[in-house]
Amino acid sequence: MKHLTVLVPDIQTGPNTLSCIIGAYHIFTEANNYCIRQNKNPVFTIELAGVSGQSNFVNGLLSVMPQKEINSIEKTDLIIIPAILAAFKKVEGGNVLLVDWILEHYKKGAEVASMCTGAYILASTGLLDKKSCSIHWNAAANFKQLFPKVNLKAEKLITDEQGIYTNGGGYSFLNLIIYLVEKYYDRQTAIYCSKVFQIDLDRQTQSDFVIFNGQKTHGDEVVVKAQEYIEKNFTEKISMEELSSKFTVGRRNFDRRFIKATGNTPVEYLQRVKIESAKKELETSRKTINEVMYEVGYADVKAFREVFRKITGLSPLEYKNKYNKTGSAALI
């Protein structure tokens, strides 16, 4: 039987830390029970492990007492890292010991899966350098600054590379668990768990959940002013040549500084601002797709659809049908 370690951090924790721990333990336990009912051997011995005898969550309202101290586990096959606080700057406290322990056991052959902002702990090991990683879209800008060597894929729901798994934000960690159940058990067990826990099977993206807010804490005042100009005038035709001239910066240098500060080119930033405005209109109004398109500054239906799908993973009509409950979506 394989060994599954669900880590219990003792610091930098939040409400979702506990959700991830309980969710992983519950679903993998049910997968084992399903195997037994099918006259098969359970796949995992499941243990919660930490660096202290008790970890407190939600301002001490709830506590978890790990079954094992991490150094007492000589071998494990799969390590689950739960979410931690998104206001992450560097690994602290007992989490430093968790980082060292994860790195040691990965080198021994264990696979590692991080849930949501658990990617901060995983990235602190160095194992994510030059590898793909997903994280909650709201933590993406901070993560990029702290771990520039990681190939961040915030639009992805799940990444899977060289025995390292990551997933997007919130309760999408449930999708990662189902993914791992299929990988370690089989498709039939994954389908069973998805039905019992009512989790969408085979969901691949978190793009349509993203709420775009331009990152302005980067310290480049010229770029902040350019962002504010774009956000105020996005419905108009904006020339990036004229915009860079407006702030007396050469175009190539302007693009370079903009990418460094925001993670987007100026053109991409403008597109995201336009699409975020379009999303809000599609969610709340009875306007047609064409009306919304024109309001946010697009005149070409094909171009609007392509950019909208690239950013959200859905067509404008699919998005409206999914999120607007004021009435049926209007066709173009």
Side-chain angles (χ1 to χ4, degrees):
M1 190 182 297
K2 294 181 181 295
H3 185 274
L4 167 61
T5 304
V6 181
L7 294 181
V8 182
D10 73 334
I11 194 171
Q12 297 173 306
T13 61
N16 207 32
T17 311
L18 189 59
S19 301
C20 292
I21 293 168
I22 298 302
Y25 186 86
H26 194 182
I27 297 173
F28 278 111
T29 298
E30 186 59 35
N32 274 348
N33 290 338
Y34 180 74
C35 287
I36 293 170
R37 291 195 296 272
Q38 300 299 311
N39 297 316
K40 299 177 182 177
N41 292 325
V43 172
F44 282 119
T45 297
I46 307 163
E47 291 187 313
L48 274 57
V51 297
S52 61
Q54 178 174 306
S55 295
N56 296 317
F57 300 86
V58 197
N59 298 318
L61 181 64
L62 299 167
S63 299
V64 172
M65 291 178 284
Q67 298 156 289
K68 288 284 186 71
E69 198 276 329
I70 54 170
N71 289 328
S72 70
I73 298 176
E74 295 183 0
K75 184 180 185 306
T76 191
D77 298 284
L78 177 62
I79 301 166
I80 300 289
I81 307 170
I84 60 172
L85 287 179
F88 184 91
K89 294 181 181 178
K90 63 179 181 178
V91 68
E92 297 176 358
N95 290 343
V96 175
L97 300 177
L98 294 183
V99 165
D100 293 340
W101 185 86
I102 292 165
L103 184 58
E104 175 191 348
H105 282 271
Y106 179 78
K107 289 178 179 178
K108 289 180 178 179
E111 296 194 328
V112 187
S114 70
M115 297 172 167
C116 188
T117 46
Y120 282 120
I121 290 180
L122 181 54
S124 297
T125 67
L127 292 174
L128 280 175
D129 288 358
K130 297 182 180 180
K131 294 186 182 71
S132 297
C133 171
S134 185
I135 197 170
H136 195 292
W137 52 264
N138 205 29
N142 181 42
F143 187 90
K144 280 183 180 179
Q145 288 185 331
L146 291 172
F147 304 105
K149 294 180 181 179
V150 178
N151 183 17
L152 188 62
K153 301 283 188 180
E155 76 283 358
K156 294 286 188 182
L157 192 74
I158 294 168
T159 66
D160 175 347
E161 193 170 340
Q162 296 179 28
I164 295 177
Y165 312 90
T166 70
N167 89 281
Y171 282 79
S172 69
F173 72 84
L174 297 169
N175 298 95
L176 175 60
I177 297 174
I178 295 297
Y179 182 87
L180 292 171
V181 167
E182 180 172 358
K183 188 176 183 72
Y184 278 91
Y185 294 75
D186 52 37
R187 179 73 173 180
Q188 182 181 355
T189 308
I191 291 171
Y192 168 78
C193 289
S194 75
K195 290 181 177 179
V196 168
F197 294 99
Q198 300 186 36
I199 303 167
D200 286 343
L201 198 65
D202 299 327
R203 206 179 116 216
Q204 297 297 321
T205 180
Q206 61 176 349
S207 296
D208 58 312
F209 293 106
V210 174
I211 301 171
F212 179 68
N213 291 301
Q215 200 274 104
K216 296 189 178 74
T217 60
H218 43 72
D220 191 323
E221 289 301 317
V222 169
V223 174
V224 170
K225 290 178 181 178
Q227 289 175 268
E228 291 173 346
Y229 182 88
I230 289 171
E231 291 166 7
K232 185 177 179 180
N233 300 281
F234 69 89
T235 60
E236 308 297 326
K237 187 173 182 179
I238 299 177
S239 163
M240 294 305 160
E241 290 286 350
E242 294 175 2
L243 186 60
S244 60
S245 297
K246 178 180 178 67
F247 297 106
T248 62
V249 180
R251 175 62 194 276
R252 291 182 65 183
N253 189 35
F254 180 68
D255 284 2
R256 180 185 60 78
R257 288 172 64 173
F258 208 101
I259 293 169
K260 181 179 179 181
T262 70
N264 297 116
T265 67
V267 172
E268 289 170 343
Y269 193 88
L270 174 60
Q271 289 175 338
R272 293 185 70 92
V273 171
K274 287 177 180 286
I275 298 305
E276 188 62 27
S277 179
K279 284 164 58 182
K280 291 174 182 175
E281 288 296 322
L282 293 172
E283 290 165 6
T284 60
S285 76
R286 293 178 178 271
K287 294 172 183 175
T288 67
I289 306 298
N290 269 354
E291 286 173 330
V292 172
M293 176 188 73
Y294 290 129
E295 283 188 7
V296 300
Y298 280 93
D300 184 281
V301 174
K302 183 180 179 182
F304 177 63
R305 283 175 173 164
E306 287 178 351
V307 174
F308 196 97
R309 184 179 288 279
K310 178 182 177 183
I311 291 174
T312 69
L314 300 172
S315 72
L317 183 58
E318 289 169 338
Y319 189 90
K320 187 176 179 79
N321 284 336
K322 184 173 183 178
Y323 292 107
N324 190 316
K325 303 304 180 185
T326 63
S328 58
L331 295 170
I332 292 177

